[in-house]
Amino acid sequence: MHARDTVPGDTVPGLASRQLAWQVLQAVAAGAYADAALERELASLARAGGGLSPADRGLATEIAYGAIRQRRLLDGWIDALGKVSALRQPPALRWLLHVGLYQLLFSDRVPAAAAVSTTVALAKRVGLGRLAPVVNGMLRSLLRRRELQPCHEPWDGLPLPADAAAALALRRSLPPWLSAELLGWLPPERAEAFALACNAVPALDLRANRLRTSRDELLARFTAAGVAARALPGAPHGLTLLERVGDPRELPGYAEGLWCVQDRSAQAIAPLLEAQPGQRILDACAAPGGKSTHLAELIGDRGEVWALDRSEARLRRLDRNAERLGLTCIRSLALDATALAEAKPHWRGSFDRVLLDAPCSGLGTLARHPDARWRITPDAIAGLVTLQRQLLEALLPLLAPGGRFVYATCTVEPRENGTLIHGLLQAHPGWSLLQERQWWPEPPEAERGGGDGFYAAVLQAPT
């Protein structure tokens, strides 16, 4: 039966949002990216004349992204409650159980009875009717088990491994290899904070376009429009929204180019170049362009910012955003950065500033990319380190004598960050390290109040 065939149960309130979430879980399990899968399912539903209300769209997003983040813990509950382990369940049933279990364990907006009844109705609707009693029994078994003891955490009532890394992986739904690495990098309380940050719903941070407005003026416009926001400490042009919104492009000032979306940690990278008006700057892995546009704003749109990326499609998005922001100094070029010196030999030594926001494992952005933790492997990281070193070696010759080079990643993996940079400096003794910093992702309630994990190293070329 096709997932959208109608059977008894179609009239159950909220069923469409649960079905859409279930379809996203299946798509991600098959290799799709979560954000792309969600947009595709929403668009397909709208074309079929069944678009969701804003509330139902929000619920579908919460369940889909939340269940993807919590995959390991939800599987742990299936293992504990069922006769068949999670990995041996039919995939369609496994993801349907995740939809129900997530609501029972994590969603304050859904009553337990509604979570059970809609999951059972969904089983009947999508051709799993013969397994509906299994779904009903497992969800009710979870409720009974958690009624037997005080339960404050979603893993209360679930047997935990004795090993600290395995227990952290289960409680906070992390890959076991990452949990073990975290406890090697950080003391237990900071590893716990990292895991909490990975499972939080990320804030939506904006950067005011200093060439067209000020942060205070933008905040005033938001207040007048009833949009709750506040200034970001440590980010001179940054602000964050205090409530969830639908399409950010409908917020005041978007069409006028008064702001763009950029995480608070990412807003700290471009200023490290200390770029000046009139300088020639290279952003070597530029798309989607947040740092290129930030650089253009910082130099007053006077100079040259070459935005380089392998993807022409992503560069077109960058060009559209630059045009919206009124920036004219950005020049985009579709080319592999490792081949730039060979393709443009006359560019050697010609840039005052170079930014390499390198391809990386993205371990600092797991909250923003809920499926990323299940894609990344230690072997993949080893390959990324090789690529990062190749990019660095290819780009160093493009910097003018005495120029400033910023290497940045959105990961916390030392091999991609400090270890790589210190190895590079040993091979290039004339270069100096001016500054090095690691930002760790933090839970929303922390002092910094959220933000992605980033690394940055500021290098200076020999004179």
Side-chain angles (χ1 to χ4, degrees):
M1 178 182 294
H2 191 278
R4 291 195 178 88
D5 287 347
T6 57
V7 299
D10 274 274
T11 58
V12 175
L15 192 60
S17 55
R18 274 83 170 181
Q19 180 172 341
L20 190 141
W22 173 69
Q23 289 163 186
V24 170
L25 296 187
Q26 293 185 94
V28 169
Y33 288 93
D35 53 354
L38 178 63
E39 287 304 315
R40 186 166 54 247
E41 292 296 338
L42 286 167
S44 178
L45 193 60
R47 285 195 301 270
L52 298 179
S53 69
D56 279 344
R57 179 178 175 136
L59 180 61
T61 302
E62 177 195 342
I63 294 173
Y65 280 11
I68 292 167
R69 289 188 186 101
Q70 299 295 341
R71 178 186 291 180
R72 184 164 183 80
L73 179 60
L74 299 178
D75 276 349
W77 275 110
I78 294 174
D79 292 344
L81 298 170
K83 297 179 181 178
V84 178
S85 70
L87 295 179
R88 293 178 54 217
Q89 295 281 359
L93 176 61
R94 180 187 177 192
W95 308 127
L96 188 137
L97 287 169
H98 278 208
V99 169
L101 289 167
Y102 176 82
Q103 293 174 81
L104 291 177
L105 292 166
F106 292 96
S107 182
D108 295 332
R109 62 195 285 189
V110 180
V116 174
S117 64
T118 52
T119 309
V120 171
L122 181 57
K124 296 175 181 177
R125 185 180 188 191
V126 299
L128 298 174
R130 64 184 180 82
L131 295 173
V134 175
V135 173
N136 183 65
M138 193 174 296
L139 296 182
R140 293 191 182 281
S141 177
L142 171 72
L143 291 174
R144 285 193 298 272
R145 181 178 293 202
R146 286 172 64 83
E147 287 172 356
L148 296 176
Q149 64 182 78
C151 290
H152 305 289
E153 301 287 357
W155 56 83
D156 286 341
L158 185 65
L160 295 177
D163 177 73
L168 177 63
L170 181 58
R171 286 189 296 104
R172 298 301 185 188
S173 193
L174 296 174
W177 69 267
L178 177 56
S179 180
E181 291 278 28
L182 279 172
L183 290 172
W185 300 332
L186 299 170
E189 65 277 6
R190 290 193 60 202
E192 194 80 24
F194 175 94
L196 272 170
C198 291
N199 291 330
V201 176
L204 182 61
D205 297 338
L206 311 179
R207 189 189 76 238
N209 180 356
R210 66 198 294 261
L211 303 184
R212 290 190 166 179
T213 189
S214 70
R215 177 169 66 181
D216 289 345
E217 289 171 350
L218 190 57
L219 282 169
R221 285 198 61 171
F222 281 178
T223 299
V227 178
R230 66 170 176 84
L232 284 170
H237 310 291
L239 58 152
T240 188
L241 301 187
L242 302 178
E243 299 172 354
R244 306 307 296 174
V245 297
D247 187 344
R249 292 171 295 185
E250 296 176 1
L251 291 171
Y254 175 82
E256 301 156 72
L258 302 188
W259 56 267
C260 65
V261 174
Q262 190 177 38
D263 179 79
R264 65 196 69 184
S265 298
Q267 291 185 39
I269 302 302
L272 294 174
L273 284 162
E274 296 186 359
Q276 304 299 317
Q279 287 187 331
R280 195 162 189 259
I281 304 164
L282 173 65
D283 184 355
C285 296
K291 297 179 183 67
S292 294
T293 56
H294 197 186
L295 284 166
E297 291 169 15
L298 290 171
I299 63 172
D301 202 31
R302 301 193 303 275
E304 289 183 28
V305 176
W306 281 92
L308 184 75
D309 202 87
R310 294 172 58 183
S311 169
E312 289 190 19
R314 283 162 59 85
L315 282 176
R316 285 195 293 271
R317 178 181 167 192
L318 184 156
D319 290 338
R320 290 193 298 270
N321 203 31
E323 182 179 3
R324 180 181 64 84
L325 295 167
L327 302 170
T328 61
C329 73
I330 296 177
R331 310 281 185 268
S332 59
L333 176 64
L335 192 68
D336 187 331
T338 60
L340 183 57
E342 182 179 349
K344 303 276 188 182
H346 56 289
W347 278 12
R348 289 178 176 268
S350 71
F351 287 97
D352 302 290
R353 301 286 189 267
V354 175
L355 170 63
L356 172 57
D357 187 10
C360 69
S361 59
L363 293 177
T365 64
L366 297 186
R368 201 167 301 284
H369 303 291
D371 49 319
R373 71 190 71 189
W374 311 122
R375 298 180 185 279
I376 303 162
T377 65
D379 287 344
I381 292 174
L384 285 166
V385 172
T386 299
L387 173 60
Q388 291 153 358
R389 181 63 183 258
Q390 290 172 346
L391 286 164
L392 284 162
E393 296 286 359
L395 293 170
L396 292 185
L398 299 175
L399 194 62
R404 181 173 283 224
F405 189 115
V406 170
Y407 171 82
T409 71
C410 57
T411 188
V412 298
E413 163 60 71
R415 287 179 293 165
E416 301 177 76
N417 295 340
T419 302
L420 176 67
I421 290 299
H422 290 279
L424 179 83
L425 290 170
Q426 287 181 350
H428 296 272
W431 286 70
S432 55
L433 177 64
L434 302 181
Q435 185 180 345
E436 183 180 30
R437 184 172 175 188
Q438 177 73 66
W439 291 263
W440 289 85
E442 296 181 4
E445 64 273 13
E447 182 179 352
R448 193 165 65 92
D452 293 340
F454 263 85
Y455 170 85
V458 184
L459 309 177
Q460 187 167 29
T463 55

